[in-house]
Amino acid sequence: MKLYDQIFNVVKQFRKLFSPGPVTNADVSGSITAEIFLIVSLVLSAILLRHVNMLLAGIVTFILAIVLISNIPLIPKFKLEQEDSLEKMLFYAIITISILVAFLYWGGNLV
Amino acid sequence: MAQTQLIILMTSAALIIIGFYSAIFVDNIIKKIIGISFIEEGVNLFIVAIGYKAGGIVPILMPDMNTTWFASNAAYPLPFGLVLTSIVIGASTLAVMLALVMVIYKKYGTLSTKVMLADTSKQEEYNE
Amino acid sequence: MLELVLCIIMVLSAILALIQKDLLKTAILTGFSGGAMAVLFQVLLAPDVALTQAIVGAAIIPVFIALAVKKTQREDS
Amino acid sequence: MNELIPLMVIVPLMAALLISAFSRFNTVTKIFALVVAICLPIIPLASNYGLHYFGGYEPILDNVTNAVYHPAITYSFTFLQQVFIAMVGLLTFLVVFIYLTKYRKVSGPYLFLLFLGTAAVTAMLLTDDIFHMFVFFEILALAQVGIVAASSINYSYEMALKYMILGSIGSPMMLLGIGFLLAMTGTVNVTDIAAAVHNGLINVTSPVFLMSLALIFFGWLYASGLPPFHTIKSGIYSKAEPHGAALLQSFTVISMISIVLIMFRIYSTLPIFEVLIVFFSILAMILGVSMALTQTDFRRMIGFLAVGELGFIGLGIGLGTQFSITAGLFQALNEIMITALLFIGFGAIVNATNEVDTRKLGGLLAYHPKVSLMLLIGGLAMAGVPPLSGFQSKLMLVQASLSCGFPEISILAIMVSIATFVVFVKTYYSMFLKPKPNDLEVENKEVPRAMIFAMGILLIIIILLGIFPDIVINGISNFVGGIL
């Protein structure tokens, strides 16, 4: 029953996602679809690591699946991180350029 | 004097880092815009430093100069031409940004980025 | 030696511009930075770029900023 | 008729300047704008393939090293440029036509911005000079900001300022990357740089070369709206007028492919380049579509969908074979048309109801059957249903990734297509099929004729390309074989 309760709470938490007003069943089902889509596609893209190392891909996929499923209302967290405020956009842009430059400078020849 | 070029490159790196710092940590929108325009200035300085030649001459061919001597001693002028364009682009971008700030200021009455450029997607939908 | 002094002026005025409470001072310090950069371009054998930078960086951009400050507010709170 | 090549840029640029100068004369401006807009798709179709050297400076052959140097800014015009420039010209014509028929008094500055953007993307596609491309990239950014700020939607100024501030971080980084390339090779001509890289004149494993890849790549992310810029890109689509948004997304797609083709010619020897493109494309597909599923504002939703579909283009180019790049470019062509169709169609709904929240809409099928039918076909094309053009390009992409040995990417692409379809059906249901809410007022019963006309033309092209894809694919495939 624990997992059922958790999933039920997920649906209740979706209400916070939307701006004030009624929440229709189309919106909620869209959010549930997004939730499942996010988990499945992230796990699926983790399998792509098998071209680097088979063992690494297995471990990463397994851990990622456990972490994602045990944290399930994922979409509210994702949506909070991708809102329109300038601070978050600038923060992620600068993080991305830093990681890109650092990764390519030191590890660009490894691939 | 290869040292000159090194100093210039360090300065341009410092300007770019100041720009990144102000993009994240400065709250006042006008200061933030000025800070971000320092990135552009640092990049301009870097590109000019590429064309610099230690102990060289200004790349203008005078009538009494030997062409071979000129080619081996003059600085490389292509980056200078690029920077001319880039300076003007940077200035016009800055002007447009400041104009937008003036328009938005009338609505909010403050220059804080947290207030002016916050997330607007939730308020607008249901209250139209 | 000249370029070292100019570089220090540029970086210092850039940092000082960002910690001023009075936004008009920020505009003036930005002009300092732009002017120092123009002289630096002259040192780097680019006189044509130096002329453009002297006009744009030392005159036009500070005036734009000052105008924006005049239309909005002067204090950074 | 190679003289027509520079005219493709000069005509919209001059038209933009003239219109903004003489915007006081309303009728003259209208007629002039319409004539120029008709010329835009015709010029590339009438022109011959070839190269154009500005100033007439022909390439110089160095007898010692046997290398060719290009001193002039070069425009190269091949089948790829022809088809994309004709497409964006057609779209500009449709958008200008809609704009001119919608308002009695036209605004000169807005037409100026539309034509300026078209000129900028045309130059970006044609040019063979990386700095020239950067200059027009900045002009394009200014034009996009102007189009967003000119709309009368709430919070459009804020969104424009955000886009501009992010752009003033993204584009100097790209300029810095160009500076690194210039420092290594001493030239800004892409052909020369690529020759230097492929002949081993510069060390491709040096950190400077890798840094230039990172910096130009970041500029490309900003130009194309892949993560982390997907929020701002979808934001500016939703804050522009619908016909403006239709043009904005075509600008995005074309600047994306023009920059990525230049990067591909320079960096294709580095394996990490393709890994980076595939990584960011997958991220864009996942984040774009999953965010689109949770939106209630349908303009924002189409914006996120457009960003998600960009991932397919990146995927095709990132796989790096001739077939996959052809598929990616064909997908780019399809996406320009399909997303424009969706933006214009949903714009008609905004025009009729003044409402953008899907929760407050419903029952519009009775009022606007034509628009709903066209939108349905457009949505099916975007999701990749045969026999429409989206199906052909997505099928090619799936085949390409299978033949490269990445079945996971094929599964992911199919899943993203299905999720796209879910998003579309959800919105279509809540706008057209759901019972009409009592407080919804449908004000203008008539959809403007110009919008129906524009949607009809786009729809005909979509169906034609879906049935006869070979018209475009063969030419693109030859082009791709040339750059590989």
Side-chain angles (χ1 to χ4, degrees), chain D residues 352-410:
Chain D
T353 57
N354 284 329
E355 184 57 67
V356 294
D357 195 333
T358 49
R359 290 170 296 180
K360 300 204 292 189
L361 288 167
L364 290 170
L365 188 65
Y367 295 90
H368 302 295
K370 268 187 231 161
V371 176
S372 72
L373 190 66
M374 287 180 178
L375 272 180
L376 182 62
I377 298 176
L380 291 176
M382 185 179 236
V385 174
L388 299 161
S389 63
F391 164 71
Q392 300 285 356
S393 55
K394 287 192 176 172
L395 181 67
M396 282 172 75
L397 272 172
V398 170
Q399 282 175 344
S401 58
L402 275 178
S403 62
C404 289
F406 295 110
E408 304 93 335
I409 292 180
S410 314

Short mmCIF file of all heavy atoms in Angstrom, two decimals, chain D residues 352-410:
data_model
loop_
_atom_site.label_atom_id
_atom_site.label_comp_id
_atom_site.label_asym_id
_atom_site.label_seq_id
_atom_site.Cartn_x
_atom_site.Cartn_y
_atom_site.Cartn_z
N ALA D 352 -10.02 34.92 -32.29
CA ALA D 352 -11.46 34.79 -32.18
C ALA D 352 -11.95 34.90 -30.74
O ALA D 352 -13.06 35.34 -30.50
CB ALA D 352 -11.90 33.45 -32.76
N THR D 353 -11.13 34.46 -29.77
CA THR D 353 -11.65 34.39 -28.41
C THR D 353 -10.92 35.27 -27.41
O THR D 353 -11.42 35.45 -26.30
CB THR D 353 -11.53 32.95 -27.89
OG1 THR D 353 -10.17 32.56 -27.97
CG2 THR D 353 -12.38 32.02 -28.69
N ASN D 354 -9.73 35.79 -27.73
CA ASN D 354 -8.90 36.55 -26.79
C ASN D 354 -8.59 35.75 -25.54
O ASN D 354 -8.56 36.27 -24.44
CB ASN D 354 -9.58 37.86 -26.37
CG ASN D 354 -9.47 38.88 -27.46
OD1 ASN D 354 -8.49 38.88 -28.22
ND2 ASN D 354 -10.45 39.75 -27.55
N GLU D 355 -8.41 34.46 -25.68
CA GLU D 355 -8.19 33.61 -24.52
C GLU D 355 -7.09 32.61 -24.86
O GLU D 355 -7.08 32.06 -25.96
CB GLU D 355 -9.51 32.88 -24.21
CG GLU D 355 -9.48 32.03 -22.99
CD GLU D 355 -9.10 32.81 -21.77
OE1 GLU D 355 -9.87 33.68 -21.37
OE2 GLU D 355 -8.01 32.57 -21.23
N VAL D 356 -6.13 32.43 -23.95
CA VAL D 356 -5.04 31.52 -24.26
C VAL D 356 -4.99 30.34 -23.30
O VAL D 356 -4.19 29.45 -23.48
CB VAL D 356 -3.67 32.23 -24.22
CG1 VAL D 356 -3.59 33.23 -25.32
CG2 VAL D 356 -3.42 32.86 -22.88
N ASP D 357 -5.85 30.33 -22.27
CA ASP D 357 -5.80 29.26 -21.30
C ASP D 357 -6.67 28.11 -21.78
O ASP D 357 -7.85 28.28 -22.04
CB ASP D 357 -6.31 29.78 -19.96
CG ASP D 357 -5.94 28.86 -18.83
OD1 ASP D 357 -5.79 27.66 -19.10
OD2 ASP D 357 -5.82 29.34 -17.70
N THR D 358 -6.07 26.91 -21.91
CA THR D 358 -6.86 25.80 -22.44
C THR D 358 -8.00 25.41 -21.51
O THR D 358 -8.97 24.83 -21.94
CB THR D 358 -5.97 24.57 -22.65
OG1 THR D 358 -5.23 24.35 -21.47
CG2 THR D 358 -5.05 24.75 -23.81
N ARG D 359 -7.87 25.74 -20.22
CA ARG D 359 -8.93 25.34 -19.30
C ARG D 359 -10.19 26.15 -19.50
O ARG D 359 -11.27 25.76 -19.08
CB ARG D 359 -8.44 25.52 -17.85
CG ARG D 359 -7.40 24.52 -17.49
CD ARG D 359 -6.78 24.85 -16.18
NE ARG D 359 -6.07 26.12 -16.23
CZ ARG D 359 -5.44 26.63 -15.19
NH1 ARG D 359 -5.47 26.02 -14.05
NH2 ARG D 359 -4.79 27.75 -15.30
N LYS D 360 -10.06 27.32 -20.10
CA LYS D 360 -11.24 28.16 -20.28
C LYS D 360 -11.77 28.13 -21.70
O LYS D 360 -12.66 28.90 -22.04
CB LYS D 360 -10.89 29.60 -19.89
CG LYS D 360 -10.45 29.67 -18.43
CD LYS D 360 -10.63 31.02 -17.81
CE LYS D 360 -9.74 32.07 -18.35
NZ LYS D 360 -9.78 33.30 -17.60
N LEU D 361 -11.20 27.27 -22.54
CA LEU D 361 -11.67 27.16 -23.91
C LEU D 361 -12.48 25.88 -24.06
O LEU D 361 -12.48 25.02 -23.19
CB LEU D 361 -10.48 27.12 -24.87
CG LEU D 361 -9.73 28.42 -25.06
CD1 LEU D 361 -8.43 28.16 -25.77
CD2 LEU D 361 -10.57 29.39 -25.86
N GLY D 362 -13.13 25.74 -25.20
CA GLY D 362 -13.86 24.50 -25.46
C GLY D 362 -14.93 24.72 -26.50
O GLY D 362 -15.39 25.86 -26.71
N GLY D 363 -15.28 23.63 -27.19
CA GLY D 363 -16.40 23.68 -28.11
C GLY D 363 -16.22 24.57 -29.32
O GLY D 363 -17.19 25.05 -29.89
N LEU D 364 -14.98 24.82 -29.71
CA LEU D 364 -14.76 25.72 -30.83
C LEU D 364 -14.94 25.02 -32.18
O LEU D 364 -14.88 25.68 -33.21
CB LEU D 364 -13.37 26.33 -30.75
CG LEU D 364 -13.21 27.32 -29.61
CD1 LEU D 364 -11.78 27.71 -29.44
CD2 LEU D 364 -14.05 28.55 -29.88
N LEU D 365 -15.14 23.71 -32.16
CA LEU D 365 -15.27 22.98 -33.42
C LEU D 365 -16.48 23.50 -34.20
O LEU D 365 -16.44 23.60 -35.43
CB LEU D 365 -15.42 21.49 -33.14
CG LEU D 365 -15.39 20.58 -34.34
CD1 LEU D 365 -14.04 20.65 -35.00
CD2 LEU D 365 -15.68 19.15 -33.94
N ALA D 366 -17.52 23.87 -33.48
CA ALA D 366 -18.72 24.35 -34.15
C ALA D 366 -18.50 25.70 -34.80
O ALA D 366 -19.13 26.03 -35.80
CB ALA D 366 -19.86 24.43 -33.15
N TYR D 367 -17.61 26.50 -34.21
CA TYR D 367 -17.41 27.85 -34.73
C TYR D 367 -16.40 27.89 -35.87
O TYR D 367 -16.55 28.64 -36.81
CB TYR D 367 -16.95 28.79 -33.61
CG TYR D 367 -17.97 28.98 -32.54
CD1 TYR D 367 -18.01 28.16 -31.44
CD2 TYR D 367 -18.91 29.99 -32.65
CE1 TYR D 367 -18.95 28.33 -30.46
CE2 TYR D 367 -19.87 30.18 -31.69
CZ TYR D 367 -19.89 29.34 -30.59
OH TYR D 367 -20.82 29.51 -29.64
N HIS D 368 -15.31 27.12 -35.72
CA HIS D 368 -14.23 27.22 -36.69
C HIS D 368 -13.87 25.84 -37.23
O HIS D 368 -12.81 25.31 -36.93
CB HIS D 368 -12.99 27.84 -36.06
CG HIS D 368 -13.25 29.19 -35.49
ND1 HIS D 368 -13.57 30.27 -36.27
CD2 HIS D 368 -13.22 29.64 -34.23
CE1 HIS D 368 -13.75 31.31 -35.51
NE2 HIS D 368 -13.55 30.97 -34.25
N PRO D 369 -14.74 25.22 -38.01
CA PRO D 369 -14.42 23.86 -38.48
C PRO D 369 -13.21 23.81 -39.41
O PRO D 369 -12.42 22.87 -39.31
CB PRO D 369 -15.70 23.44 -39.21
CG PRO D 369 -16.39 24.69 -39.53
CD PRO D 369 -16.05 25.67 -38.49
N LYS D 370 -13.05 24.82 -40.29
CA LYS D 370 -11.94 24.79 -41.24
C LYS D 370 -10.61 24.84 -40.50
O LYS D 370 -9.70 24.04 -40.75
CB LYS D 370 -12.03 26.00 -42.17
CG LYS D 370 -12.79 25.75 -43.44
CD LYS D 370 -12.64 26.97 -44.34
CE LYS D 370 -13.98 27.45 -44.83
NZ LYS D 370 -13.96 28.81 -45.30
N VAL D 371 -10.51 25.80 -39.57
CA VAL D 371 -9.25 25.95 -38.84
C VAL D 371 -8.94 24.69 -38.06
O VAL D 371 -7.79 24.23 -38.02
CB VAL D 371 -9.35 27.17 -37.89
CG1 VAL D 371 -8.10 27.29 -37.07
CG2 VAL D 371 -9.56 28.41 -38.68
N SER D 372 -9.98 24.08 -37.46
CA SER D 372 -9.71 22.92 -36.62
C SER D 372 -9.22 21.76 -37.48
O SER D 372 -8.31 21.03 -37.07
CB SER D 372 -10.97 22.53 -35.87
OG SER D 372 -11.88 21.97 -36.75
N LEU D 373 -9.78 21.63 -38.69
CA LEU D 373 -9.34 20.53 -39.56
C LEU D 373 -7.89 20.73 -39.96
O LEU D 373 -7.06 19.80 -39.89
CB LEU D 373 -10.24 20.48 -40.80
CG LEU D 373 -10.04 19.24 -41.65
CD1 LEU D 373 -10.48 18.03 -40.88
CD2 LEU D 373 -10.80 19.36 -42.95
N MET D 374 -7.55 21.96 -40.36
CA MET D 374 -6.16 22.22 -40.77
C MET D 374 -5.20 22.01 -39.62
O MET D 374 -4.11 21.45 -39.79
CB MET D 374 -6.04 23.65 -41.28
CG MET D 374 -6.67 23.86 -42.63
SD MET D 374 -6.47 25.54 -43.11
CE MET D 374 -7.20 25.53 -44.70
N LEU D 375 -5.62 22.45 -38.41
CA LEU D 375 -4.75 22.27 -37.24
C LEU D 375 -4.55 20.79 -36.95
O LEU D 375 -3.45 20.37 -36.58
CB LEU D 375 -5.38 22.92 -36.02
CG LEU D 375 -5.04 24.38 -35.82
CD1 LEU D 375 -5.74 24.87 -34.59
CD2 LEU D 375 -3.55 24.52 -35.64
N LEU D 376 -5.63 20.01 -37.15
CA LEU D 376 -5.52 18.58 -36.87
C LEU D 376 -4.49 17.95 -37.80
O LEU D 376 -3.61 17.18 -37.36
CB LEU D 376 -6.88 17.92 -37.07
CG LEU D 376 -6.93 16.43 -36.77
CD1 LEU D 376 -6.59 16.19 -35.33
CD2 LEU D 376 -8.28 15.87 -37.09
N ILE D 377 -4.54 18.32 -39.09
CA ILE D 377 -3.58 17.75 -40.03
C ILE D 377 -2.16 18.20 -39.67
O ILE D 377 -1.21 17.43 -39.71
CB ILE D 377 -3.95 18.13 -41.47
CG1 ILE D 377 -5.32 17.55 -41.81
CG2 ILE D 377 -2.93 17.60 -42.45
CD1 ILE D 377 -5.81 17.94 -43.15
N GLY D 378 -2.03 19.49 -39.28
CA GLY D 378 -0.72 19.98 -38.88
C GLY D 378 -0.17 19.22 -37.69
O GLY D 378 1.00 18.85 -37.65
N GLY D 379 -1.04 18.97 -36.70
CA GLY D 379 -0.59 18.25 -35.52
C GLY D 379 -0.20 16.83 -35.84
O GLY D 379 0.80 16.30 -35.33
N LEU D 380 -0.97 16.19 -36.76
CA LEU D 380 -0.61 14.83 -37.16
C LEU D 380 0.74 14.84 -37.88
O LEU D 380 1.56 13.94 -37.69
CB LEU D 380 -1.69 14.26 -38.08
CG LEU D 380 -3.04 13.95 -37.42
CD1 LEU D 380 -4.02 13.48 -38.45
CD2 LEU D 380 -2.86 12.90 -36.36
N ALA D 381 0.96 15.88 -38.69
CA ALA D 381 2.25 15.95 -39.40
C ALA D 381 3.39 16.12 -38.42
O ALA D 381 4.46 15.53 -38.57
CB ALA D 381 2.23 17.11 -40.38
N MET D 382 3.16 16.92 -37.37
CA MET D 382 4.23 17.11 -36.40
C MET D 382 4.53 15.82 -35.65
O MET D 382 5.69 15.50 -35.37
CB MET D 382 3.84 18.21 -35.41
CG MET D 382 4.95 18.54 -34.45
SD MET D 382 4.47 19.84 -33.36
CE MET D 382 5.76 21.00 -33.65
N ALA D 383 3.48 15.04 -35.35
CA ALA D 383 3.72 13.80 -34.63
C ALA D 383 4.28 12.71 -35.53
O ALA D 383 4.76 11.71 -35.04
CB ALA D 383 2.41 13.32 -34.01
N GLY D 384 4.21 12.90 -36.87
CA GLY D 384 4.81 11.92 -37.76
C GLY D 384 3.85 10.83 -38.18
O GLY D 384 4.13 9.65 -38.04
N VAL D 385 2.70 11.23 -38.70
CA VAL D 385 1.72 10.25 -39.17
C VAL D 385 1.80 10.21 -40.69
O VAL D 385 1.82 11.26 -41.33
CB VAL D 385 0.31 10.66 -38.71
CG1 VAL D 385 -0.73 9.76 -39.31
CG2 VAL D 385 0.23 10.63 -37.21
N PRO D 386 1.89 9.02 -41.31
CA PRO D 386 1.90 8.98 -42.76
C PRO D 386 0.54 9.42 -43.30
O PRO D 386 -0.46 9.27 -42.61
CB PRO D 386 2.16 7.50 -43.07
CG PRO D 386 1.76 6.77 -41.86
CD PRO D 386 2.00 7.70 -40.72
N PRO D 387 0.48 10.00 -44.50
CA PRO D 387 1.53 10.24 -45.48
C PRO D 387 2.06 11.67 -45.43
O PRO D 387 2.39 12.22 -46.47
CB PRO D 387 0.78 10.00 -46.79
CG PRO D 387 -0.57 10.58 -46.51
CD PRO D 387 -0.84 10.39 -45.04
N LEU D 388 2.10 12.28 -44.26
CA LEU D 388 2.50 13.69 -44.21
C LEU D 388 4.02 13.78 -44.11
O LEU D 388 4.71 12.78 -43.85
CB LEU D 388 1.84 14.36 -43.02
CG LEU D 388 0.32 14.31 -43.14
CD1 LEU D 388 -0.33 14.54 -41.81
CD2 LEU D 388 -0.14 15.33 -44.13
N SER D 389 4.55 14.99 -44.28
CA SER D 389 5.99 15.10 -44.47
C SER D 389 6.77 14.80 -43.20
O SER D 389 7.91 14.35 -43.25
CB SER D 389 6.32 16.50 -44.96
OG SER D 389 5.97 17.43 -43.99
N GLY D 390 6.14 15.06 -42.02
CA GLY D 390 6.86 14.75 -40.78
C GLY D 390 7.18 13.27 -40.66
O GLY D 390 8.22 12.88 -40.12
N PHE D 391 6.30 12.44 -41.22
CA PHE D 391 6.52 11.00 -41.17
C PHE D 391 7.79 10.62 -41.92
O PHE D 391 8.61 9.83 -41.42
CB PHE D 391 5.31 10.29 -41.77
CG PHE D 391 5.55 8.85 -42.13
CD1 PHE D 391 5.70 7.92 -41.13
CD2 PHE D 391 5.63 8.46 -43.44
CE1 PHE D 391 5.92 6.60 -41.45
CE2 PHE D 391 5.86 7.15 -43.77
CZ PHE D 391 6.00 6.22 -42.76
N GLN D 392 7.97 11.19 -43.13
CA GLN D 392 9.11 10.80 -43.95
C GLN D 392 10.43 11.11 -43.23
O GLN D 392 11.32 10.26 -43.12
CB GLN D 392 9.08 11.57 -45.27
CG GLN D 392 7.85 11.31 -46.10
CD GLN D 392 7.89 9.95 -46.77
OE1 GLN D 392 8.87 9.24 -46.67
NE2 GLN D 392 6.80 9.60 -47.43
N SER D 393 10.52 12.33 -42.66
CA SER D 393 11.81 12.69 -42.06
C SER D 393 12.05 11.90 -40.78
O SER D 393 13.17 11.47 -40.50
CB SER D 393 11.85 14.18 -41.79
OG SER D 393 10.77 14.55 -41.01
N LYS D 394 10.97 11.67 -40.01
CA LYS D 394 11.19 10.92 -38.77
C LYS D 394 11.52 9.47 -39.05
O LYS D 394 12.36 8.87 -38.36
CB LYS D 394 9.96 11.04 -37.87
CG LYS D 394 9.88 12.42 -37.28
CD LYS D 394 8.88 12.53 -36.18
CE LYS D 394 8.96 13.93 -35.62
NZ LYS D 394 7.91 14.20 -34.67
N LEU D 395 10.90 8.92 -40.10
CA LEU D 395 11.23 7.54 -40.47
C LEU D 395 12.70 7.45 -40.86
O LEU D 395 13.43 6.53 -40.46
CB LEU D 395 10.34 7.10 -41.63
CG LEU D 395 10.58 5.67 -42.09
CD1 LEU D 395 10.15 4.71 -41.02
CD2 LEU D 395 9.82 5.39 -43.36
N MET D 396 13.15 8.45 -41.63
CA MET D 396 14.57 8.45 -42.04
C MET D 396 15.48 8.53 -40.82
O MET D 396 16.52 7.88 -40.76
CB MET D 396 14.85 9.62 -42.97
CG MET D 396 14.39 9.41 -44.38
SD MET D 396 14.56 10.91 -45.34
CE MET D 396 16.31 10.94 -45.60
N LEU D 397 15.06 9.35 -39.84
CA LEU D 397 15.90 9.49 -38.64
C LEU D 397 15.99 8.19 -37.88
O LEU D 397 17.07 7.78 -37.43
CB LEU D 397 15.33 10.57 -37.72
CG LEU D 397 15.80 11.97 -38.00
CD1 LEU D 397 15.03 12.95 -37.17
CD2 LEU D 397 17.27 12.05 -37.66
N VAL D 398 14.83 7.51 -37.75
CA VAL D 398 14.84 6.25 -37.00
C VAL D 398 15.70 5.23 -37.72
O VAL D 398 16.51 4.52 -37.10
CB VAL D 398 13.38 5.76 -36.83
CG1 VAL D 398 13.36 4.36 -36.28
CG2 VAL D 398 12.64 6.67 -35.89
N GLN D 399 15.56 5.16 -39.07
CA GLN D 399 16.39 4.23 -39.83
C GLN D 399 17.87 4.57 -39.67
O GLN D 399 18.71 3.67 -39.49
CB GLN D 399 16.02 4.31 -41.31
CG GLN D 399 14.76 3.58 -41.65
CD GLN D 399 14.39 3.81 -43.09
OE1 GLN D 399 14.90 4.71 -43.73
NE2 GLN D 399 13.49 3.00 -43.59
N ALA D 400 18.18 5.88 -39.71
CA ALA D 400 19.59 6.27 -39.62
C ALA D 400 20.18 5.87 -38.29
O ALA D 400 21.29 5.32 -38.22
CB ALA D 400 19.72 7.78 -39.81
N SER D 401 19.42 6.08 -37.20
CA SER D 401 20.00 5.74 -35.90
C SER D 401 20.10 4.24 -35.72
O SER D 401 21.02 3.75 -35.06
CB SER D 401 19.20 6.38 -34.77
OG SER D 401 17.88 5.96 -34.84
N LEU D 402 19.16 3.49 -36.34
CA LEU D 402 19.29 2.03 -36.27
C LEU D 402 20.54 1.56 -37.01
O LEU D 402 21.29 0.71 -36.53
CB LEU D 402 18.07 1.36 -36.87
CG LEU D 402 16.87 1.16 -35.97
CD1 LEU D 402 15.75 0.52 -36.74
CD2 LEU D 402 17.25 0.29 -34.80
N SER D 403 20.77 2.15 -38.19
CA SER D 403 21.90 1.67 -38.97
C SER D 403 23.23 2.13 -38.40
O SER D 403 24.27 1.59 -38.73
CB SER D 403 21.78 2.11 -40.42
OG SER D 403 21.80 3.51 -40.48
N CYS D 404 23.20 3.16 -37.52
CA CYS D 404 24.43 3.56 -36.85
C CYS D 404 24.71 2.69 -35.63
O CYS D 404 25.74 2.88 -34.98
CB CYS D 404 24.37 5.00 -36.39
SG CYS D 404 24.44 6.17 -37.71
N GLY D 405 23.78 1.84 -35.25
CA GLY D 405 23.99 1.01 -34.08
C GLY D 405 23.53 1.64 -32.79
O GLY D 405 24.08 1.37 -31.72
N PHE D 406 22.54 2.51 -32.83
CA PHE D 406 21.99 3.11 -31.62
C PHE D 406 20.48 2.84 -31.56
O PHE D 406 19.69 3.75 -31.80
CB PHE D 406 22.22 4.62 -31.58
CG PHE D 406 23.64 5.02 -31.50
CD1 PHE D 406 24.26 5.60 -32.59
CD2 PHE D 406 24.37 4.83 -30.35
CE1 PHE D 406 25.59 5.98 -32.51
CE2 PHE D 406 25.69 5.21 -30.28
CZ PHE D 406 26.30 5.78 -31.36
N PRO D 407 20.06 1.61 -31.26
CA PRO D 407 18.60 1.37 -31.20
C PRO D 407 17.92 2.17 -30.10
O PRO D 407 16.74 2.50 -30.23
CB PRO D 407 18.51 -0.13 -30.96
CG PRO D 407 19.83 -0.54 -30.46
CD PRO D 407 20.82 0.38 -31.04
N GLU D 408 18.68 2.52 -29.04
CA GLU D 408 18.05 3.31 -27.95
C GLU D 408 17.55 4.64 -28.47
O GLU D 408 16.47 5.11 -28.11
CB GLU D 408 19.05 3.57 -26.83
CG GLU D 408 19.68 2.35 -26.23
CD GLU D 408 20.98 2.02 -26.90
OE1 GLU D 408 21.17 2.41 -28.06
OE2 GLU D 408 21.83 1.37 -26.27
N ILE D 409 18.37 5.25 -29.36
CA ILE D 409 17.97 6.55 -29.88
C ILE D 409 16.72 6.42 -30.73
O ILE D 409 15.83 7.29 -30.69
CB ILE D 409 19.14 7.19 -30.65
CG1 ILE D 409 20.25 7.53 -29.68
CG2 ILE D 409 18.70 8.45 -31.37
CD1 ILE D 409 21.43 8.16 -30.32
N SER D 410 16.60 5.30 -31.47
CA SER D 410 15.38 5.10 -32.26
C SER D 410 14.17 5.01 -31.36
O SER D 410 13.14 5.65 -31.61
CB SER D 410 15.48 3.81 -33.07
OG SER D 410 16.71 3.71 -33.67
#
